[in-house]
Amino acid sequence: MALNLRQKQTECIIRMLNLNQPLNPSGTANEEVYKILIYDRFCQNILSPLIHVKDLRKHGVTLYFLIDKDRRPVHDVPAVYFVQPTESNLQRIVADASRSLYDTFHLNFSSSIPRKHLEELASGALKSGSVERVSKVHDQYLEFVTLEDNLFSLAQQSTYVQMNDPKAGDKEIEEIIERVASGLFCVLVTLGVVPVIRCPRGGPAEMVASLLDQKLRDHLLSKNNLFTEGGGFMSSFQRPLLCIFDRNFELSVGIQHDFRYRPLVHDVLGLKLNRLNVQGDKGGMKSFEIDSADPFWSANSSLEFPEVAVEIETQLNKYKRDVEEVNKRTGGGSGAEFDGTDLIGNTKHLMNAVNSLPELTERKQVIDKHTNIATALLGHIKERSIDAFTKKESDMMMKGGIDRAELMAALKGKGTKMDKLRFAIMYLISTETINQSEVEAVEAALNEAEADTSAFQYVKKIKSLNVSLAASSANSASRSNIVDWAEKLYGQSISAVTAGVKNLLSSDQQLAVTRTVEALTEGKPNPEIDSYLFLDPRAPKSSNSGGSHVKGPFREAIVFMIGGGNYVEYGSLQELTQRQLTVKNVIYGATEILTGGELVEQLGVLGKKMGLGGPVASSSLSGH
């Protein structure tokens, strides 16, 4: 059965809400206990996409509060705490226990509580004489946010800036690597799997992979092993492959505009934790939730926007026909005499109509919701020419450049400052040889639009460093050089890609990450991935040079992006499972899910740190 992260994490949370008791087949505890739920902001974000208020009620949660809010005592009621194991949270728990706010305290930490903190908690409870109130302490290993069945975020903000900061010392880098590896460890514990790990050599991906491999090895040696699968060498068809990359592997996909429904909704309307707000007809804001429970979203989120608009129209017409059908059946013929059989027939139709009403109402709500969303998107698309940016960026990546007149027209035409900045950076990334006068003209156009050029200057600087680096070492071993991006995207140098060689439309462009994952899951010899690191935490350490016999093919893959992921990559990997025979399921995750604008803001912060712009921006940079 395919791994389903959303389902697994939800099951863990429900068990936690039921005081970690075994559940009966209906998914509730055998004995209903009314309780209070206390969480911090981070854990609130974990719960938000998975658990609704009605679910809390179902599992006996009558009240829920943030841990840092002032709360009144509620006697004779147990409290379930779900928080990160931070010093401030632990101090608050001890204070709550010493004030006897609740009858018993069931403490659940989102990740493993360090021994030092556990000792502080114990001594605090001892001093305040509240030890007997602390019923149980659990490490839940749930420190990640699941947005869809196959999509998760570690919600670790600005990791790209922290990893690429020229001033970051070894200690800071080690702390970030530790945080990322711990987050991934939580995901694997929740799924109950020990994967085979592959990643490019060098850089953050190898650092995270090596530390995660060590964590898994240490854990597999301990007595209380959290991984339920059988030991020894399981076949690769039963074990997933974990592929780790960092954002510089393919920066362009995180910046470009996209015209598919899911990435558009995220990029333009700011989808966060599966919720978004759009302007209503009468001026107010409407809030919508979109996730896998929404049938229209599940079926159409990977389509291009015009196809979605057609589909909304189709669904609306079908709904109208079905309503008409119900009305016709229950209307009764004019002047018809009612004998017994007619009465039975009419009653039957009436019953069918009544039964179909909830389903029809639900369908109408979904159609109305997506009509609102599509209308809001259309307004932005027209105002900002998003379709034109998408097409031009796609053409640039395909041809390795753009006509100067077309380039300048786009920079001086419609679009926000950020649209133009993203377009200009895509121009830098896609162009093989930089034309100095052209770049100056682009900078002048950005200044004219009053855009902050720090991000543009940063990418330009990195690109020129890579060009000189490539010139000094003809056999550049590093595959993550910016100068190689265009080559990576299509598997051959841009000059070899002529219109006749490959018909690369925006819809079937295959991203480097997708192509690499496809090659890694097949497990066949391939010069592009043969140099990739191979780690198997279940194999003896000596055999990790690649001698392990778990080579593939793999049916399940987990793909993780350090420094920020996006819905374009997620969509591309889901399409891979539809068209490829080997891999049947791909879970995609990242340190955070970023829009193109949010990633460019992080590039801008790095530009300022390198002295390539104004003062360092203090604006908060956040994905999911």
Side-chain angles (χ1 to χ4, degrees), residues 74-214:
V74 183
H75 303 299
D76 304 325
V77 173
V80 174
Y81 280 73
F82 180 38
V83 293
Q84 285 186 295
T86 62
E87 208 139 324
S88 60
N89 282 342
L90 291 168
Q91 286 167 0
R92 193 66 194 241
I93 290 167
V94 170
D96 289 354
S98 63
R99 286 171 57 208
S100 305
L101 281 189
Y102 313 112
D103 185 42
T104 52
F105 288 67
H106 297 258
L107 307 181
N108 299 275
F109 295 105
S110 56
S111 60
S112 180
I113 179 171
R115 186 169 184 86
K116 179 171 83 88
H117 286 353
L118 195 60
E119 286 167 359
E120 283 168 13
L121 179 69
S123 68
L126 206 60
K127 278 178 197 160
S128 62
S130 53
V131 173
E132 72 285 349
R133 290 198 180 277
V134 179
S135 176
K136 276 191 178 156
V137 179
H138 289 270
D139 290 337
Q140 291 291 358
Y141 296 100
L142 293 172
E143 196 147 305
F144 57 94
V145 177
T146 306
L147 299 163
E148 296 193 18
D149 290 355
N150 289 333
L151 176 67
F152 72 91
S153 158
L154 297 186
Q156 296 178 2
Q157 296 178 1
S158 300
T159 310
Y160 187 83
V161 169
Q162 293 157 9
M163 290 300 308
N164 293 283
D165 187 345
K167 297 185 177 69
D170 288 352
K171 189 170 179 292
E172 288 97 326
I173 297 292
E174 278 167 24
E175 280 172 9
I176 299 157
I177 297 298
E178 168 63 43
R179 262 206 320 272
V180 175
S182 297
L184 272 174
F185 183 79
C186 287
V187 171
L188 297 175
V189 169
T190 303
L191 287 170
V193 293
V194 178
V196 171
I197 307 169
R198 299 294 304 266
C199 69
R201 289 182 186 272
E206 181 173 353
M207 291 159 86
V208 168
S210 303
L211 182 57
L212 182 62
D213 177 57
Q214 196 53 55

Side-chain angles (χ1 to χ4, degrees), residues 345-463:
N346 277 315
T347 308
K348 200 172 167 187
H349 285 317
L350 206 56
M351 288 297 288
N352 287 339
V354 168
N355 291 337
S356 66
L357 275 176
E359 190 258 344
L360 284 169
T361 309
E362 204 172 299
R363 267 169 60 192
K364 183 72 167 76
Q365 284 170 346
V366 169
I367 293 164
D368 287 349
K369 172 167 72 174
H370 288 281
T371 303
N372 274 292
I373 293 169
T375 306
L377 280 177
L378 191 59
H380 284 280
I381 290 165
K382 282 182 175 171
E383 195 183 316
R384 293 164 50 187
S385 286
I386 294 171
D387 50 339
F389 280 118
T390 305
K391 178 151 189 358
K392 287 190 174 84
E393 286 165 5
S394 174
D395 289 348
M396 278 196 295
M397 290 306 283
M398 189 171 79
K399 297 172 187 165
I402 187 172
D403 174 65
R404 184 165 181 161
E406 206 180 335
L407 173 70
M408 299 318 294
L411 289 170
K412 292 185 175 178
K414 288 181 182 177
T416 62
K417 294 176 196 177
M418 183 55 83
D419 287 328
K420 292 174 182 180
L421 187 54
R422 286 163 67 181
F423 181 69
I425 293 170
M426 287 300 293
Y427 153 75
L428 271 184
I429 292 172
S430 64
T431 313
E432 274 195 282
T433 50
I434 295 293
N435 176 328
Q436 204 48 48
S437 72
E438 207 163 79
V439 170
E440 282 165 16
V442 168
E443 282 177 35
L446 288 174
N447 287 327
E448 201 181 307
E450 296 178 355
D452 181 344
T453 59
S454 309
F456 182 81
Q457 302 286 359
Y458 176 73
V459 175
K460 187 173 88 169
K461 177 92 170 164
I462 296 299
K463 179 147 185 168

Side-chain angles (χ1 to χ4, degrees), residues 259-261 264 303-310 374 377-378 381:
F259 214 48
R260 279 163 289 200
Y261 195 36
L264 259 182
L303 297 180
E304 298 260 329
F305 180 69
E307 297 171 63
V308 173
V310 170
L377 280 177
L378 191 59
I381 290 165

Side-chain angles (χ1 to χ4, degrees), residues 452 454 601 604-619:
D452 181 344
S454 309
E601 278 182 37
V605 170
L606 288 168
K608 291 189 176 79
K609 282 177 181 283
M610 286 175 78
L612 301 171
V616 175
S618 60
S619 64

Side-chain angles (χ1 to χ4, degrees), residues 550-566:
V550 187
K551 278 288 190 180
F554 295 88
R555 281 183 190 269
E556 308 241 8
I558 302 163
V559 178
F560 186 76
M561 186 60 72
I562 303 163
N566 52 72

